[in-house]
Amino acid sequence: MDKRSLCLLLICINLCLVIWLVSVQQSPMLEAEIMADFGGGSSSITGSSTPSPPSQTQSANSGSRRSRSKPYQTKPSRTFSNNNNSDSSLVSSNTFDSAATPPAIRSQTPAPNGSSMQLMDLNNFVYLIDQPACDKDVRVLILVHSAVRNTEKRRIIRETWADRKYIDGTPLKVIFLVGGVGANAERWQQFLGRENHLNGDLIQGNFDDAYRNMTYKHVMALKWFNEKCSGAQLLVKVDDDVFMNTPQLVKYLTTPSLPEFAMLQDPQLMLCRVVRHSRVKRSYRSKWRVTYKEYPHRFYPEYCPGMAIVYAPDVVRRLFEAAQKSKYFWVDDVLITGILAEETGSKITPLKYYLEQKDVRSLLSGEADLEDPPFLFTNHAIKPDESMEIWQMALDRIQRPLLTPPASSLASASIASKSAAPSGWPSANLSEAPQQTIATGLS
């Protein structure tokens, strides 16, 4: 071999070596870059400090997005943000732009058995992140409506009323619902993937997570329950800025002497704080402005505010089937629990006790007791420190030993508890036997 040929051979070998090194090292380098953008390792997602997610400005300035007209829908719509008042980004009310979706989440596979790719007027609906179907021990599925960027709110919930150390000893299951991240926001998608990998509690639909797409999220909740958890006794739909008193719900489920025990077994149950005679907002200054074309009447029908609703399975099925045939209307609680509830003959059961902001202050100041009166939900916009304090009060109540009652009453209470509660459920009295099934993981 002459000298020239040998030089060419060495150049080719070096070139191949460089190409191989670049291809092998590129993936770890990109991963390290993304981890740095999120403020460290993936373990920080659920740690005591929330990571710094990708900036909202980056997503906001990602370029134009396709839009298409929908019945009962205006555009553009504002995306959610952590503080719920950011107007730095506008997203049209169209479906998730698959062309901008990273290959890892671009799915063209058929829907699983028993599931449909239809969600109202979306013909190509799929779950970008999904969870296994409920097992037979789940009696209440709690679906928390969250926004992609509400990482801090989800963390607070996981550390308080949905704490796994408590929830895993009860017949409750908690899952968070989010929409798509929008175009050119691949890093947010990877962030959600890691959050779900750590917690296993996210469900994501392939529609933009935008204010005017909340009806899709609500109907997705009905769909998921109807197809994957219909054996449960109840569906609870709750927003991520509401405190839910899960120990009180367990007490209602397992105490036959309480009137709420029978109420929660009603096959026609749609429980909420009912809204009556609500005037339709027409002002251009209103966040909830609705045009006459979207809704022609002066008042909305009686409906449930979307912040907290408890459904029986039969009601879920009826409302989901009606929603699949309905025209799209962006005010989700009015459409589903008002308009469609009227069409399907579903009646609202008024929720008796609701903790307003003033009641939260009274409770935390010691002027009121946790069970005087008992409550299932607080109002919107509860603060993280308030959630933490109320949850600690609930834990103290669970773990607080009772004064020893007479032997006869203790025996009769034990018999009633065993006859009422299904196998594997916590005891009816959360201050007694649950210390073995629930409180052991909390001490």
Side-chain angles (χ1 to χ4, degrees):
M1 180 180 296
D2 58 17
K3 188 174 181 179
R4 183 178 179 183
S5 300
L6 182 60
C7 290
L8 289 174
L9 179 61
L10 290 174
I11 292 172
C12 290
I13 293 174
N14 288 331
L15 183 60
C16 292
L17 181 60
V18 170
I19 294 173
W20 177 80
L21 287 173
V22 170
S23 63
V24 169
Q25 296 298 324
Q26 185 177 17
S27 178
M29 288 172 63
L30 287 175
E31 177 64 19
E33 181 186 11
I34 293 170
M35 299 282 277
D37 287 341
F38 289 145
S42 59
S43 61
S44 65
I45 293 176
T46 54
S48 58
S49 62
T50 305
S52 301
S55 67
Q56 297 176 30
T57 308
Q58 175 184 359
S59 175
N61 299 328
S62 57
S64 62
R65 292 168 172 83
R66 294 176 299 169
S67 63
R68 62 184 180 87
S69 60
K70 288 192 182 74
Y72 289 152
Q73 191 166 3
T74 61
K75 54 185 184 293
S77 63
R78 297 191 182 276
T79 56
F80 285 107
S81 65
N82 272 338
N83 55 15
N84 289 330
N85 60 10
S86 170
D87 52 353
S88 62
S89 85
L90 294 173
V91 175
S92 61
S93 304
N94 60 332
T95 56
F96 192 80
D97 190 348
S98 61
T101 306
I105 62 170
R106 191 182 301 156
S107 174
Q108 301 296 333
T109 57
N113 292 337
S115 178
S116 166
M117 295 180 71
Q118 185 77 26
L119 188 75
M120 302 189 73
D121 60 346
L122 302 183
N123 299 318
N124 61 340
F125 172 77
V126 292
Y127 296 107
L128 302 178
I129 299 176
D130 200 1
Q131 298 299 325
C134 296
D135 60 42
K136 59 182 177 59
D137 296 325
V138 174
R139 289 294 173 265
V140 180
L141 175 65
I142 303 170
L143 295 180
V144 184
H145 282 216
S146 187
V148 169
R149 293 166 173 79
N150 288 2
T151 56
E152 175 69 7
K153 292 181 179 180
R154 293 193 290 274
R155 183 184 68 83
I156 293 297
I157 291 175
R158 292 186 185 108
E159 293 182 1
T160 55
W161 57 265
D163 189 340
R164 286 283 179 82
K165 294 190 293 292
Y166 170 75
I167 290 294
D168 287 349
T170 72
L172 314 180
K173 183 178 181 66
V174 181
I175 295 177
F176 296 89
L177 303 183
V178 296
V181 298
N184 300 327
E186 293 86 350
R187 292 185 176 182
W188 268 108
Q189 188 61 42
Q190 295 194 23
F191 183 90
L192 290 176
R194 286 201 295 277
E195 181 181 351
N196 183 63
H197 177 73
L198 288 173
N199 300 286
D201 59 3
L202 291 183
I203 292 176
Q204 182 186 27
N206 66 333
F207 48 85
D208 279 355
D209 205 326
Y211 188 77
R212 300 238 169 180
N213 284 347
M214 287 199 298
T215 297
Y216 289 133
K217 193 177 294 183
H218 200 150
V219 177
M220 181 175 74
L222 304 180
K223 173 184 176 68
W224 202 91
F225 180 88
N226 197 48
E227 295 176 348
K228 292 196 172 185
C229 205
S230 59
Q233 178 181 338
L234 297 170
L235 165 65
V236 178
K237 183 266 185 194
V238 63
D239 286 350
D240 63 5
D241 59 351
V242 171
F243 182 94
M244 180 176 177
N245 194 347
T246 46
Q248 189 65 41
L249 177 59
V250 172
K251 186 174 183 178
Y252 287 156
L253 290 169
T254 57
T255 310
S257 59
L258 295 175
E260 289 84 0
F261 178 86
M263 178 188 69
L264 294 179
Q265 294 183 337
D266 181 1
Q268 306 304 320
L269 183 68
M270 184 165 63
L271 178 68
C272 69
R273 184 182 189 180
V274 61
V275 177
R276 298 184 176 94
H277 310 298
S278 177
R279 186 189 295 269
V280 181
K281 304 292 189 298
R282 304 295 188 189
S283 171
Y284 283 91
R285 294 177 296 177
S286 174
K287 178 181 179 181
W288 296 279
R289 178 181 181 270
V290 170
T291 67
Y292 284 96
K293 184 178 180 181
E294 291 173 319
Y295 188 80
H297 306 295
R298 187 179 181 186
F299 292 93
Y300 290 127
E302 183 178 276
Y303 71 94
C304 294
M307 55 194 291
I309 311 169
V310 182
Y311 293 106
D314 286 350
V315 179
V316 173
R317 177 185 51 79
R318 289 200 304 267
L319 293 178
F320 173 67
E321 291 175 354
Q324 290 288 73
K325 305 170 186 175
S326 172
K327 292 182 179 180
Y328 191 90
F329 182 43
W330 63 272
V331 188
D332 64 307
D333 42 16
V334 170
L335 174 65
I336 294 169
T337 66
I339 299 171
L340 299 183
E342 274 193 349
E343 291 180 3
T344 59
S346 303
K347 303 296 183 182
I348 296 175
T349 301
L351 183 62
K352 192 177 298 184
Y353 304 123
Y354 217 93
L355 221 60
E356 300 282 3
Q357 188 58 44
K358 61 180 178 62
D359 303 318
V360 171
R361 290 194 296 267
S362 297
L363 177 63
L364 298 182
S365 66
E367 299 175 8
D369 186 76
L370 190 65
E371 296 187 4
D372 185 24
F375 71 95
L376 282 180
F377 307 101
T378 67
N379 207 334
H380 265 302
I382 188 167
K383 299 175 183 177
D385 59 330
E386 293 172 338
S387 290
M388 291 289 190
E389 287 190 58
I390 296 175
W391 180 241
Q392 188 58 54
M393 294 173 67
L395 294 186
D396 292 343
R397 179 60 59 91
I398 292 172
Q399 296 172 324
R400 184 187 305 166
L402 291 180
L403 295 175
T404 305
S408 58
S409 62
L410 182 61
S412 60
S414 176
I415 294 172
S417 174
K418 291 179 180 178
S419 62
S423 174
W425 283 35
S427 168
N429 193 324
L430 290 180
S431 300
E432 296 178 0
Q435 293 191 34
Q436 295 181 354
T437 58
I438 299 176
T440 52
L442 299 169
S443 55

